[in-house]
Amino acid sequence: MSKECSSKARDETFVGLNSPGCNQLIDVAVPLPIYTALTYILSGHTLPPPKGARVLVPVGRRNMVGVAWRIPAEKPPSVNLKRVKRILDQGPLLPESLISFLEWTSSYYFYPIGQVIAEALPPGLLSARNRRIAQINGGLPKSRGCRPKFPSWSTEIPLQLTQEQEIVLNAICDALATRSYHPILVHGVTGSGKTEVYLQAAKQCIRQNRSVLILVPEIAMTTQAVGWFISRFGEEVTVLHSGLTEAQRRDQWFRIKKGESRIVIGTRSAIFAPLSDIGLIVVDEEHDPSYKQSEKFRYQARDMALLRGRMSDATVILGSATPSVSSFKNAISGKYQLITMEKRVAERSLPGVVVVDRRKKEKKDQHHKLKSARPGWLSEELKEATRDTLERGEQVLLFLNRRGFATYVFCPDCGHVFRCPHCEVTLTWHRGDKRTNSEKDGVLRCHYCGMESAALPVCPQCMGQAVKALGYGTEKIATDLEEIFPGARIARLDRDTVRARRHMEEVVLDFRKGHLDILVGTQMITKGHDFPGLTLVGVLCADLSLNFPEYHATERTFQLLSQVAGRAGRGERPGRVIIQTWLPDHYVLDCATTHDFNAFYEKESKLRKALGYPPFGRLINLRFSGRKKAQICDTTGNVARLAKKLAKGIKSTGGSQVEVLGPAPAPRAKIKDRYRWQILLKSSSLADLRALCTGLLSRKADMVPSSVRMEVDVDPYSLL
Ligand code: ADP
Ligand code: ZN
């Protein structure tokens, strides 16, 4: 327990265990990549700080702020220990319930407790240099008017519920009344009015004097949900998401901790909000992959919501029009209560969906030698439908999950392809706005590391002047549309255009108010938004996500298609959807066309089961990365050999041995100059996987050199 501490302890702050009056030990969690808390000694007369209070402690040659974690049960071996320098909080900074939750997440994800705490706290609170520590010491800082502003755009009075909404609300109220853990999956089609149910359930929970946590997938979505909640609950609501400034985040965090605000809405990390006595947790759009953090502390906020709900005796609602295969499996097996909402509010119908088979179209076009007056990405059907819709004064949304102007650039003379020197992937051409851009031809950007270089029309290899661009992204679509539909008001939403958060809010609001005619965007535009004037949705290339090399590519495609289709016809006029594809026979298109989630689940779950993929099997991915290719390869090889040996020795609880797949280079084999390898552990038993992982980690120090980063990804989403 105190191994790291003793080996690094080299200055005057440590005292021998036998010094008189110095027998009070305390374990402190410090934000370092070490798996246990460090043990320290308290000065003679100091009372131990409460669990969850911050303390200043020496680590190596510097001072760090850690969190008092526990009084160690057994006396550590008689080594020299360092002293706690200062106790920074009189009371616990973290509420008791949050502490147990963090401990559990740390152990579940094999992620160091100190770093889990650092992730859960607002920025700055664990900084030894920050002067604000003095302010916080002894009391909590005053709110300094850092509340971010959000537009509110809904009725303040609760709506008269539809029959289906009423049924769901009643079920939630029954669950709330039990004051015990009760998970519910609300499978409600898009536009069935789930938000109104969440609003009224939140009200019920507040009446019981308990707090409410609402998770939404992305900032883009918070805008709308927050607007609704603020107009209904005012000051009671607090917002937590990564788009806030550091000061705002701290301010909001303390408002919650002080109990000034009992409703928290936020993205993934809001799962760590310092709420006490949570009665209701809602995970909206529970299927959304952004609930899984994709680097460092790789937690899944939806899964953690269930855990936190269990620890707080709360009702947990997972809501979605397209539940994840994993949540749906839990619902039909009875682990969660399943409630279905089949109808849209106000008798609105689900949009009609048409699949356009690009294969036949392309052939026919060639046959007739049509010199088409439209770009290759646009079918005649979609072009005509867009024209009709615009003529009726209605709105169009076009979805393509790829940014940029062209997806790669090459020289037809010598074959040279422009690639990122750090990531070995092709560079995407972002032409940018010619009128405002200083770089005449825009930039080439790496979508992995963000590296940019000016897009020059000359090949660096042969000096050829005929450099060509191929493949299209949202930027090209928007540019082409301006030519095809002159006069239409067109906007684009993707990661390139929303670097400024305000832009996102403005565009969403403008589109909602009808100040724009066509909105083009990536998956960002598929989520939760409610656009009453939108009647035509076009999916430009369903194949992009369908051909993605991940085991859940089909599930993701079904979700994207259903979600984006669900944006159409939410107002008074009916909507329609056109999906362009080269794979029209794929079962996912049938299911999306008929809005048939159950049929999709049947097919998809059979395939997953056969291959032992989640949720029918469990996975842990061990990721290794570093700058030296040979070293990464060797290290991963050694760990894999040990893993295979350990796997044989594990007394299986699941019936079969843990499969050790790899070592293998990751599909994205190099990012930001770091080579990436991985070992995938697969089993039907999570306990077996964990046992193996624990065994490996206990030998990490001997096997993995410090220049190699080893990360454990429990329940990985992306395996790229
Ligand atoms: P979902 O999240 O299920 O896709 P929303 O919660 O966004 O659906 O609701 C869709 C639309 O229906 C919203 O504009 C909402 O204000 C409206 N709405 C919800 N419930 C009712 C109701 N009971 N009566 C009238 N309109 C409603
Ligand atoms: Zn790169």
Side-chain angles (χ1 to χ4, degrees):
M1 183 155 297
S2 54
K3 201 169 138 214
E4 295 87 349
C5 179
S6 61
S7 61
K8 285 179 193 150
R10 291 283 178 275
D11 62 31
E12 74 289 355
T13 51
F14 67 78
V15 290
L17 262 185
N18 303 329
S19 312
C22 292
N23 48 8
Q24 181 69 68
L25 302 180
I26 182 143
D27 282 348
V28 176
V30 289
L32 286 176
I34 44 180
Y35 283 92
T36 53
L38 302 180
T39 306
Y40 288 88
I41 274 184
L42 284 164
S43 300
H45 313 292
T46 319
L47 282 176
K51 186 171 183 173
R54 289 168 312 150
V55 292
L56 190 68
V57 289
V59 181
R61 279 193 212 127
R62 56 190 171 144
N63 289 329
M64 291 187 86
V65 178
V67 173
W69 212 241
R70 67 173 96 71
I71 308 289
E74 342 143 22
K75 269 196 162 186
S78 56
V79 289
N80 287 331
L81 294 177
K82 291 186 181 188
R83 267 183 210 280
V84 169
K85 286 213 153 171
R86 248 169 85 197
I87 295 174
L88 300 171
D89 299 310
Q90 250 96 72
L93 185 67
L94 299 167
E96 179 73 41
S97 60
L98 187 56
I99 291 177
S100 342
F101 174 63
L102 296 180
E103 255 173 339
W104 205 94
T105 28
S106 160
S107 120
Y108 185 79
Y109 288 107
F110 295 97
Y111 200 73
I113 181 65
Q115 291 183 307
V116 169
I117 296 171
E119 187 100 12
L121 285 175
L125 291 187
L126 292 186
S127 155
R129 290 209 194 93
N130 199 330
R131 277 190 229 109
R132 201 165 274 108
I133 284 175
Q135 270 182 35
I136 294 161
N137 191 11
L140 296 170
K142 283 244 159 3
S143 208
R144 284 172 297 112
C146 285
R147 243 168 111 64
K149 297 258 175 298
F150 281 95
S152 68
W153 49 23
S154 178
T155 41
E156 285 170 27
I157 335 137
L159 298 170
Q160 179 67 41
L161 294 185
T162 65
Q163 204 181 1
E164 274 191 335
Q165 284 174 320
E166 189 106 29
I167 293 171
V168 183
L169 183 65
N170 285 341
I172 298 169
C173 290
D174 288 348
L176 283 170
T178 64
R179 287 178 176 262
S180 53
Y181 172 61
H182 190 106
I184 303 174
L185 175 65
V186 177
H187 173 204
V189 297
T190 52
S192 55
K194 295 186 284 295
T195 317
E196 183 60 30
V197 174
Y198 304 153
L199 283 160
Q200 299 200 20
K203 188 161 184 199
Q204 182 64 24
C205 182
I206 293 293
R207 267 201 212 116
Q208 290 187 346
N209 245 331
R210 304 183 79 195
S211 49
V212 178
L213 175 60
I214 316 262
L215 297 183
V216 291
E218 267 176 22
I219 298 177
M221 274 216 50
T222 40
T223 325
Q224 202 157 356
V226 169
W228 278 323
F229 271 86
I230 289 183
S231 56
R232 203 74 62 87
F233 297 101
E235 287 292 300
E236 194 81 74
V237 181
T238 279
V239 190
L240 289 178
H241 62 73
S242 55
L244 303 179
T245 64
E246 290 198 355
Q248 283 174 331
R249 270 202 270 175
R250 269 195 300 272
D251 198 63
Q252 302 287 58
W253 195 86
F254 280 107
R255 270 173 49 90
I256 301 165
K257 179 166 153 54
K258 283 188 274 187
E260 287 176 8
S261 145
R262 286 180 302 167
I263 300 179
V264 171
I265 306 180
T267 46
R268 182 173 65 219
S269 62
I271 189 64
F272 303 116
L275 284 164
S276 37
D277 197 16
I278 302 178
L280 176 69
I281 304 181
V282 176
V283 185
D284 194 20
E285 312 286 355
E286 66 84 24
H287 63 273
D288 198 291
S290 64
Y291 283 121
K292 170 87 176 173
Q293 180 141 298
S294 56
E295 52 174 24
K296 294 183 182 149
F297 179 22
R298 297 167 184 267
Y299 64 97
Q300 209 321 340
R302 186 242 351 250
D303 297 350
M304 290 306 99
L306 290 153
L307 172 76
R308 197 157 182 203
R310 184 192 291 275
M311 294 176 116
S312 321
D313 292 323
T315 298
V316 182
I317 302 172
L318 307 182
S320 177
T322 49
S324 58
V325 171
S326 126
S327 296
F328 199 73
K329 173 177 173 267
N330 284 333
I332 53 179
S333 72
K335 233 171 128 182
Y336 311 154
Q337 183 181 354
L338 174 64
I339 311 179
T340 312
M341 296 168 83
E342 286 173 351
K343 295 196 199 95
R344 283 186 157 183
V345 290
E347 309 290 309
R348 275 163 214 157
S349 52
L350 282 166
V353 183
V354 177
V355 173
V356 175
D357 179 352
R358 296 304 310 272
R359 298 172 310 183
K360 289 182 195 136
K361 290 295 159 203
E362 297 315 302
K363 270 190 210 135
K364 208 163 101 194
D365 284 357
Q366 278 169 8
H367 181 70
H368 290 289
K369 296 228 165 37
L370 282 175
K371 180 99 178 78
S372 172
R374 55 185 166 79
W377 56 263
L378 185 62
S379 63
E380 199 56 42
E381 285 90 337
L382 185 53
K383 187 178 162 193
E384 283 316 305
T386 304
R387 190 183 304 287
D388 289 352
T389 310
L390 295 178
E391 275 168 8
R392 280 199 303 272
E394 296 168 5
Q395 291 171 299
V396 181
L397 186 120
L398 298 178
F399 164 66
L400 178 71
N401 224 357
R402 195 161 61 190
R403 303 179 281 139
F405 195 82
T407 45
Y408 74 99
V409 178
F410 74 107
C411 168
D413 294 342
C414 71
H416 173 74
V417 177
F418 291 69
R419 288 176 188 277
C420 173
H422 310 289
C423 310
E424 289 175 0
V425 294
T426 55
L427 294 168
T428 302
W429 182 26
H430 294 256
R431 207 179 61 168
D433 188 339
K434 281 204 158 163
R435 285 154 295 194
T436 59
N437 214 333
S438 53
E439 305 280 4
K440 191 168 121 284
D441 295 304
V443 294
L444 296 180
R445 187 177 298 146
C446 170
H447 280 193
Y448 290 178
C449 75
M451 188 222 63
E452 277 184 5
S453 58
L456 301 172
V458 181
C459 170
Q461 192 164 283
C462 74
M463 299 300 152
Q465 310 256 326
V467 170
K468 264 192 159 44
L470 279 184
Y472 52 87
T474 41
E475 192 184 328
K476 169 99 163 70
I477 307 296
T479 311
D480 287 352
L481 285 170
E482 282 173 12
E483 272 174 35
I484 309 167
F485 303 107
R489 295 162 300 174
I490 300 163
R492 167 164 70 96
L493 270 190
D494 55 34
R495 244 194 302 148
D496 296 321
T497 64
V498 299
R499 296 225 164 125
R501 169 175 159 71
R502 169 147 304 159
H503 179 79
M504 172 96 204
E505 282 166 19
E506 272 166 18
V507 171
V508 168
L509 208 58
D510 275 356
F511 195 62
R512 200 179 142 77
K513 285 183 181 157
H515 298 164
L516 290 167
D517 302 311
I518 306 179
L519 183 60
V520 183
T522 51
Q523 45 94 25
M524 218 173 253
I525 59 170
T526 65
K527 307 193 177 194
H529 303 291
D530 202 26
F531 302 121
L534 171 64
T535 57
L536 174 66
V537 166
V539 177
L540 300 184
C541 183
D543 314 38
L544 276 189
S545 61
L546 209 44
N547 290 328
F548 212 60
E550 298 260 31
Y551 74 85
H552 42 64
T554 311
E555 175 179 10
R556 188 70 194 125
T557 305
F558 183 77
Q559 290 164 356
L560 283 171
L561 293 178
S562 312
Q563 293 290 338
V564 72
R567 299 309 114 214
R570 290 163 73 97
E572 267 141 36
R573 286 159 293 189
R576 58 176 167 155
V577 181
I578 294 179
I579 302 176
Q580 305 186 147
T581 180
W582 275 264
L583 294 166
D585 301 327
H586 196 291
Y587 67 85
V588 78
L589 288 160
D590 275 344
C591 302
T593 315
T594 51
H595 307 284
D596 194 343
F597 174 83
N598 291 317
F600 164 74
Y601 178 82
E602 279 298 308
K603 291 233 163 61
E604 183 67 14
S605 56
K606 261 193 205 118
L607 291 174
R608 296 262 184 106
K609 211 177 207 163
L611 296 168
Y613 276 128
F616 301 93
R618 302 298 292 261
L619 302 174
I620 291 183
N621 196 17
L622 304 177
R623 301 162 181 272
F624 299 81
S625 69
R627 288 174 183 268
K628 294 183 203 138
K629 202 171 183 176
Q631 189 186 37
I632 295 301
C633 174
D634 288 350
T635 308
T636 316
N638 293 341
V639 177
R641 253 191 308 282
L642 177 66
K644 282 170 188 165
K645 203 171 116 199
L646 292 180
K648 280 189 195 126
I650 291 174
K651 269 222 160 63
S652 173
T653 54
S656 57
Q657 198 180 299
V658 175
E659 280 178 75
V660 178
L661 305 170
R668 292 179 173 170
K670 183 182 168 195
I671 295 184
K672 288 191 205 173
D673 291 322
R674 296 180 73 86
Y675 294 93
R676 306 166 79 241
W677 280 65
Q678 53 195 29
I679 303 169
L680 187 63
L681 309 178
K682 190 170 165 193
S683 168
S684 58
S685 153
L686 182 65
D688 291 357
L689 280 182
R690 294 186 57 82
L692 177 54
C693 219
T694 309
L696 288 174
L697 284 174
S698 69
R699 300 199 211 167
K700 181 180 167 188
D702 311 328
M703 306 197 66
V704 183
S706 59
S707 54
V708 174
R709 189 185 300 150
M710 173 183 174
E711 293 176 283
V712 182
D713 189 354
V714 180
D715 305 327
Y717 184 74
S718 174
L719 296 175
L720 294 182

